[in-house]
Structures are given as C-alpha cells and as structure tokens.
Amino acid sequence: MNENKLKELKRGSAAIRMETLRMMRKKGYGHLGGAMSIVELLSVLYNEVLRYDPQNPSWDGRDYVVLSKGHSGPALYAALALHGFFDTEWLGTLNDGGTRLPSHPDRLKTPGVDATTGSLGQGTSVAAGLGMALRIEEKDQKVYLIVGDGELNEGQCWEAFQFLAHHKLHEVIVIIDHNKRQLDGKLTEIMNPFDLNKKMESFGFHVISADGQKEESIYDALQQAGGVKDSAVCILLETEKAQGVPYYVDREDNHAPKFDEAANRELDALIEELRMQVEDGGK
Ligand SMILES: Cc1ncc(C[n+]2csc(CCOP(=O)(O)OP(=O)(O)O)c2C)c(N)n1
Ligand SMILES: [Mg+2]
C-alpha cells in the first residue's frame, strides 16, 4: 500500500474515532470498548473495500455490512455519516427520543444500515441468508459480517458458521473482532473460546489473521479474503478493547462506561488531538 493511501486510511480512522467519541461524550456514556476496536476496520471498509452508493443506500449492487455486535452501532454511524449516507448533524442525536440513530442499528431507521442487530448472535444468520441469496442469484457482491469474540458464546453463531462452511459460502466474509474481552471481563475468565484460529479452521473456514490496529494489515487481509473461492472465509482480527483511547484500554469497565469528570477531561483532550490529526491529514 502506498504511503498516501495509508495516510488517508489513518485519517479516516481518526475521523471515525473522533465522531464516535463525540457522540458518546455528549450522551455521557456509551459502548466505548467494542466501538473503538472496529474503528480501523470500518475506515478500511468504507474508504477502500466496499461498493456502495450513499445517494442510493439500497442500491442492488452494493456490498452488505452486518454489524452483528450491534452495540458498536455508533462507530458504524460515524463511518456512514462521514461517507455521505446522512448529515453528520444526526450524530448528535444518538439514542435520543425520535432519533434515526438508535444505540443499536435498525435497518428501517438509518440509511446504510443493512441489518437490525443488537441481540447477539442473530446477525450471523442474517449474513448467512444474504450470502445464500447472492449465491443463488450468481452475484459477485460480498457480505461483511462483523462479530464479537464474546458474541461467539451464542450457539446461533456456530449454526450459521456450519452453514457457511458446508456451502463454501465465500460470499460472506466473517470478521471476528478478537479484543479478548466481553461485557464484564476477559473471555478466558468468563467462557474460554480456546484457540479461535484452530476452531474456525476445524469448522471448515479459511482463516486469515490480521492486526486490527493497523489499516494496512486489515486491507491485505480483506484483499486476501476476497480471493478465497473454495471455502468459507474468516478474518481473525486481533484488536484491543477501547483501542486508541489509552485512558480506557486497560480498564475493566471499558465495555460501556459512564463518564466521570476525569474521563471527560481525557476524552476532550483526545477528541481535540484527533481533530488535529483529521485536519493535518493523518498521523
Ligand atoms: C443475546 C444477547 N445477550 C446479551 C447481550 C448483552 N451484551 C451486550 S454486549 C455484550 C458483550 C459482547 O462481547 P463481545 O462480543 O466480545 O463485544 P465487544 O468486546 O466487541 O464489545 C453482551 C453480553 C446482548 N446484547 N444480546
Ligand atoms: Mg470482545
């Protein structure tokens, strides 16, 4: 990847992170940890990979995004607004009465949202259905399914994965956000997923590992995944919960914190730093 493209992607990540934190800062709380761990992924997807038309969100030729870990909705909204699906003004209405941006995505409310999610596990089946429809219609579009590592506790994920593997449904690119934490602690302490790489492989998936904090690594993994035609495909995205927000990275309560005064000070400083990065054209 050339330097300019990388710079653009990093700038995109800074913008999504800034807008997401602004939304949560305004609200006073939010699912910060899991929103932050998909920021770089969303930047690469919306800047470089996805086919979409913001003027016509339901365009028949689009790629689909299913954010199965729906609690990370605000990061998706930031990406959609920054890429022209709706006015960035909307972002200030997150989760307010009558908003078109509920905390968890609703495909009937928000332009660019392809699946209603929030009840963990369900998006995996929706993505499998979309993938099968593309297969039947012989379309070359893709479904990008973003699933949480804690979400994998849901049995429904494994039914959907078995279906994808059986049908070699490479139309669906499964992306696991492996941030090693779920709602109130580490995966290994709550429900050990064991070795996710081996587990997905044994389920019949072609598994690609990527550094979810590095746009170039994500881009390469997505390119590679797009070329897989003989099996189901999964990207194991190595991330950190609350990545990019040092104040929250190592904190137990980084899933959905309520912000106190100290947190607000940190967030304000970080938002300002990100604003400068966006204006300077990236790190
Ligand atoms: C079916 C269901 N059970 C429980 C919840 C509550 N819940 C919301 S987020 C979450 C933790 C999810 O962990 P993970 O998938 O690892 O998300 P991330 O770390 O990316 O935030 C839980 C249990 C839910 N939304 N849906
Ligand atoms: Mg997690």
Side-chain angles (χ1 to χ4, degrees), residues 34 37 69 71 118-120 148-151 154 177 179 181-183 187 241 255:
S37 55
K69 38 169 277 180
H71 56 283
S119 184
L120 295 170
D149 51 4
E151 179 176 7
E154 293 291 339
D177 177 3
N179 61 21
R181 284 178 184 270
Q182 60 133 305
L183 190 147
L187 300 190
K241 197 141 177 169
H255 180 71

